[in-house]
Amino acid sequence: MKKTVPYITNLKNSRVISMMTAYDYPSAKAVSEAEIDIILVGDSLAQVVLGHDDTLSVTVDEMLHHVKAVTNAKPSSLVVADMPYMSYHVSKEDTIKNAGRFIQEGKADAVKIEGGRKREETIQALLEAEIPVMGHLGLTPQSKNLMGGYKVQGKTLDLARQLFEDALLLQELGCFSMVLEGVPTVVAQSISENINIPTIGIGAGNLTDGQVLVLHDLLGMKSKEYIDAKFVKRYDQQYEASLKALKTYKDEIEKREFPTDDYSYDMGNDINDSLKEWKKEIKKILS
Ligand code: KIV
């Protein structure tokens, strides 16, 4: 069964909602088969897939390329396309055009944008264009230059109040859910308890309506030189497993242990039987 926006909204207060990033066909297949509710094609792909230092340099075209790969997997999970930096900080017309591409060309089910009160008109415009919107409050990575880095948000009473008011506003505007990233557990809890749309937490404690992580973090696909945030749990060590497999492959081909006959083709009985003829043929070709 394909999960829809109303299906996700109705999960509030019934069970924990699962969300995971995916950026390509095989990972979308796996996330869907694991029965994760929502796939986020996050702009985190700028860092974990494209190797940029932050999320600011990924473009709509680049994001769209990955959204299409994900939706080609026909996942049962709801697919949310993350609007990249400068794709909705522009005119209403351009914002709708950019978001519309994710829905029309990318076949995503909804979009996600970062920010609270600053985004009031943008969210209204998207909803008027029939595009479901997931909000994103707290540590919003696209604001890293204004925030002075990736810092936990809402740590003072004043800042927590602003966050709470932004959450109420996103609900009032019609967002179907919102990500709460990098906020104290108690603030995420009070927001989750006082709004009627689902909150999806990352670095926001265990009392939000759902949880999300970045796939490459969870699978341990990044090398040790990355410094992961406190909230990252490595459920697997796939970087180390890949390294081991690649080194074994290199070693085996150098020793001519791979490919064995099991992994090779023969020429069929006729040619094997007349190997002498075949060798003569080669001489003719080379002469
Ligand atoms: O881009 C992303 O992966 C995100 C999640 C961390 C919520 O925005």
Side-chain angles (χ1 to χ4, degrees), residues 131-151:
I131 300 174
V133 181
M134 173 182 275
H136 185 158
L137 296 176
L139 195 173
T140 45
Q142 292 173 13
S143 326
K144 94 166 223 228
N145 290 331
L146 267 184
M147 293 185 312
Y150 302 113
K151 298 195 172 131

Side-chain angles (χ1 to χ4, degrees), residues 19-23 40-48 55 63 82 112 114 134 136 139 141-142 179-181 200-202 212-215 217 231:
M19 179 159 101
M20 184 53 52
T21 66
Y23 315 105
L40 172 67
V41 188
D43 64 351
S44 50
L45 74 83
Q47 289 159 290
V48 296
T55 58
M63 289 293 301
D82 215 358
K112 174 170 86 57
E114 297 183 3
M134 173 182 275
H136 185 158
L139 195 173
Q142 292 173 13
V179 169
L180 295 177
E181 177 168 358
I200 317 281
I202 175 163
V212 57
L213 276 182
V214 168
L215 184 75
D217 291 342
F231 56 75

